[in-house]
Amino acid sequence: MPKVNGKERIHTSLRGIRNLLSADGGQCVACLAPDARFGLCDPCRHDLPVNHWHCRCCALPLAFAAEDTLCGQCLQAPPPFSRVIAPWRYRFPVDGMIQRYKYNGQRAFARPLIHDLAERVANNLEAAPDQRPDLLVASPMHPARLRRRGFNQAADIAEQVSKHAGIPWTTRLVTRNRRTRPQRGLDREQRLANLRGIFQVNATPPPRLAIIDDVVTTGATARSLTEALIKAGAEDVQVWALARTPG
């Protein structure tokens, strides 16, 4: 019998995620309609909060129509990453879908979000091939948290985007060298302090990278990880995530 937190359990879990995320058809996770596409029927997919208007750098949702606008934070303290791609706003029902996937292991709720992020990225790269990264870097999770949860959601997302866009991905380039307090409930300054110095880059990175994560909140994790990658030799770092919080 495999150990609860052993490698065999984690590998079995990852195989289940791959099978689930690659499937099409079936019931809608929101309304149980029988004609779902990657987990959502068309009406429920149309109800998702698309991040139409946002900061052109950090993807912070804006309350007004704008195509080439920087938010106040990016104007005041420009981030080290070049841009964030986040198709959804982190509010109902996307917030609940991600939470049920991330904290309760209900992986069906991630299927439509991951698939649509992969499509968005592929379309963007087709229109702007010069922005294509050399490698996708899954935002690392501390080994103790990985054993407890059984999977790293950033690695799941990176694997699916990699398949869709034809870009290699890794979980080995960067590691977390210590545990931190949970980021939930911390303000921006507390998040930055909590993450300071926790990322270790294990090899010289290629020039162009994209960090993969589930949600960009204050951007503290993205900033800290980007700074570590640039210090190690990266020239351009993007951030690709399922959703962006309103601020």
Side-chain angles (χ1 to χ4, degrees), residues 111-133:
R111 292 170 61 201
L113 304 180
I114 296 176
H115 176 265
D116 289 0
L117 170 64
E119 282 201 337
R120 172 73 65 84
V121 164
N123 291 336
N124 286 358
L125 294 180
E126 184 176 356
D130 59 307
Q131 296 180 350
R132 185 181 185 86

Side-chain angles (χ1 to χ4, degrees), residues 66-162:
E67 294 185 358
D68 193 28
T69 300
L70 287 173
C71 68
Q73 183 61 47
C74 286
L75 285 170
Q76 182 179 5
F81 48 80
S82 58
R83 67 168 178 167
V84 173
I85 296 177
W88 312 112
R89 298 189 177 199
Y90 190 69
R91 59 180 179 83
F92 182 84
V94 168
D95 54 356
M97 294 170 71
I98 292 176
Q99 288 168 18
R100 293 177 77 167
Y101 162 58
K102 184 175 177 178
Y103 300 114
N104 298 328
Q106 297 178 359
R107 302 178 184 109
F109 288 91
R111 292 170 61 201
L113 304 180
I114 296 176
H115 176 265
D116 289 0
L117 170 64
E119 282 201 337
R120 172 73 65 84
V121 164
N123 291 336
N124 286 358
L125 294 180
E126 184 176 356
D130 59 307
Q131 296 180 350
R132 185 181 185 86
D134 304 306
L135 183 67
L136 308 182
V137 179
S139 184
M141 180 181 289
H142 190 275
R145 184 168 296 173
L146 176 61
R147 288 192 297 270
R148 184 170 65 250
R149 187 173 296 173
F151 69 100
N152 178 358
Q153 69 279 353
D156 299 342
I157 299 167
E159 182 177 17
Q160 296 306 310
V161 173
S162 170

